[in-house]
Amino acid sequence: MKTMKMISRRSFLKAAMAAAAVSALGLTGCGSSASSTASGTASSAAASSAAASEAGQTFKVGIVNYVDHASLNQIVASVEERLDEVGREKGVTFDYADYYANAQADQTNLNQIGADLVADGVDVIVAVATPTAATMLAAVEDTDIPVVYSAVTDPAAAGFDTEPNITGTSDALNTDAIMNLILAVNPGIDTIGLLYDLSQDASTQAIADAKAFCDSKGIKYIEKNGTTTAEVQMAAEALIAAGVKAVFTPTDNTVMTAELSIYETFTEAGVQHYTGADSFALNGAFVGYGVDYVQLGEATADMVVELLCDGKTPADLPFQTFDNGIATINTETCEALGLDLDTVKKAFAPYCTEVVEVTTAENFS
């Protein structure tokens, strides 16, 4: 893959390969024989995997991140760490460093990255976030290269559950649970702000669920949207001007990218920001609730290993969802909002399985 401006930490030294070479280099392997239920092209790839199994093997793992922000970067780091761990255990190498790219939320970049990874003959592509997964799936058409996605909120709505060459992990959000957290701290609240990007697939169902929840409780809601950090900042200010005291954002990549720019605006106005991932809280939001992104990344990496080392195909591996239930409180924001941490934790207790405390930082360490 050529070095491109949107690639943050990679330099490819290998020339593009012919289409026939891409096919020949499909799946290689390091483990047990392919499943007897596999058929067609996938079966051939799995058979090649079994025949080639040996210590010292190197697998080319493309990892494509949609955009830089704490949630997605955390997934990438977790995938890489898990692949390194399994590689040491099995005596093989998962080469992701030469095949990592960040599209910076640009569709043109995604298209180019997908084409380059196919030309490089990678053995698998890990696609982080829904737009990435859709683009990589299109890129590998007519090849044997499987796609393993991570942080796709609604795989069925994206059409991935009917595609034979893609599987992965979902960060679907239990919206009612996080809305209950808002009411637990604010039992008399009459209006809730909804902050999201209309173009983000990850937000569609969650926002619909939030509206239904509000309707069922007789609570008004005010919607504000943004597609860039500047627009999200203006939307946040508009919600403050409207007088809301609590704002809900689902697992929205655009708002996540902007969180470091808006959390102080909300906090200084006394507005509690409830969000669909722990990494929002890391970046200053009052509360994040939902999937553990370290666990999500590890599970994604394990699926990669099953494909490359165990002769599995994507069709053998249904996509995975994870139990919600972890509430992450930013203790600095909690204090700045004038809330007592112990009181908040006690209010949350009936609605979550665990409460985690964090302070504001740019990324997870």
Side-chain angles (χ1 to χ4, degrees):
M1 181 180 284
K2 307 176 187 68
T3 303
M4 294 176 285
K5 64 181 180 180
M6 65 282 191
I7 298 172
S8 62
R9 56 178 177 86
R10 52 195 295 269
S11 175
F12 290 132
L13 303 178
K14 299 180 174 130
M17 304 173 70
V22 171
S23 177
L25 287 174
L27 284 176
T28 54
C30 58
S32 60
S33 301
S35 167
S36 61
T37 61
S39 60
T41 303
S43 179
S44 298
S48 297
S49 170
S53 60
E54 58 183 25
Q57 243 179 318
T58 296
F59 300 96
K60 296 188 287 189
V61 179
I63 300 179
V64 187
N65 197 358
Y66 180 62
V67 68
D68 273 318
H69 71 54
S71 294
L72 303 189
N73 293 347
Q74 187 184 20
I75 292 169
V76 170
S78 182
V79 168
E80 293 174 348
E81 290 170 9
R82 179 61 177 159
L83 289 177
D84 288 342
E85 178 185 2
V86 175
R88 288 190 295 269
E89 292 173 357
K90 293 182 175 291
V92 300
T93 299
F94 298 101
D95 179 7
Y96 53 78
D98 289 331
Y99 305 98
Y100 172 84
N102 188 316
Q104 299 299 346
D106 187 294
Q107 185 59 47
T108 300
N109 291 348
L110 279 176
N111 293 338
Q112 186 64 58
I113 291 166
D116 285 353
L117 287 175
V118 169
D120 284 329
V122 295
D123 297 303
V124 64
I125 298 176
V126 176
V128 183
T130 305
T132 310
T135 305
M136 295 307 112
L137 181 61
V140 302
E141 189 176 6
D142 301 325
T143 78
D144 295 336
I145 302 170
V147 175
V148 179
Y149 55 76
S150 192
V152 169
T153 303
D154 195 340
F160 299 153
D161 60 335
T162 59
E163 293 287 342
N165 202 33
I166 187 170
T167 189
T169 58
S170 170
D171 60 347
L173 179 67
N174 182 340
T175 304
D176 283 6
I178 193 169
M179 299 301 284
N180 278 322
L181 296 184
I182 298 176
L183 269 61
V185 176
N186 308 276
I189 196 167
D190 59 4
T191 306
I192 293 175
L194 305 177
L195 176 63
Y196 63 103
D197 180 351
L198 282 166
S199 68
Q200 287 285 314
D201 291 340
S203 293
T204 304
Q205 186 59 53
I207 291 297
D209 291 343
K211 291 177 181 178
F213 179 94
C214 289
D215 289 341
S216 71
K217 302 291 184 181
I219 299 171
K220 298 177 184 178
Y221 54 82
I222 298 174
E223 300 176 71
K224 296 296 178 182
N225 314 111
T227 59
T228 66
T229 294
E231 290 177 357
V232 171
Q233 176 72 46
M234 289 187 290
E237 292 169 355
L239 287 171
I240 292 168
V244 302
K245 293 302 179 185
V247 171
F248 166 66
T249 293
T251 52
D252 188 296
N253 289 314
T254 302
V255 181
M256 179 67 243
T257 303
E259 189 63 43
L260 282 167
S261 300
I262 65 172
Y263 83 91
E264 289 180 321
T265 301
F266 276 146
T267 303
E268 290 170 3
V271 175
Q272 303 161 21
H273 195 192
Y274 294 78
T275 63
D278 56 356
S279 41
F280 280 89
L282 175 77
N283 279 182
F286 172 45
V287 173
Y289 180 88
V291 170
D292 180 335
Y293 279 93
V294 172
Q295 180 189 30
L296 196 76
E298 290 173 348
T300 305
D302 286 342
M303 297 181 90
V304 169
V305 172
E306 288 188 83
L307 294 175
L308 298 181
C309 297
D310 298 337
K312 299 290 182 66
T313 71
D316 297 324
L317 304 173
F319 74 83
Q320 298 183 43
T321 57
F322 297 81
D323 292 336
N324 292 283
I326 300 174
T328 303
I329 301 173
N330 186 306
T331 55
E332 294 170 331
T333 301
C334 183
E335 181 179 1
L337 288 168
L339 298 171
D340 178 73
L341 178 61
D342 289 337
T343 301
V344 171
K345 290 169 67 174
K346 184 177 180 180
F348 281 1
Y351 304 105
C352 58
T353 57
E354 182 181 357
V355 175
V356 175
E357 300 174 18
V358 299
T359 55
T360 305
E362 290 191 7
N363 274 299
F364 286 96
S365 59

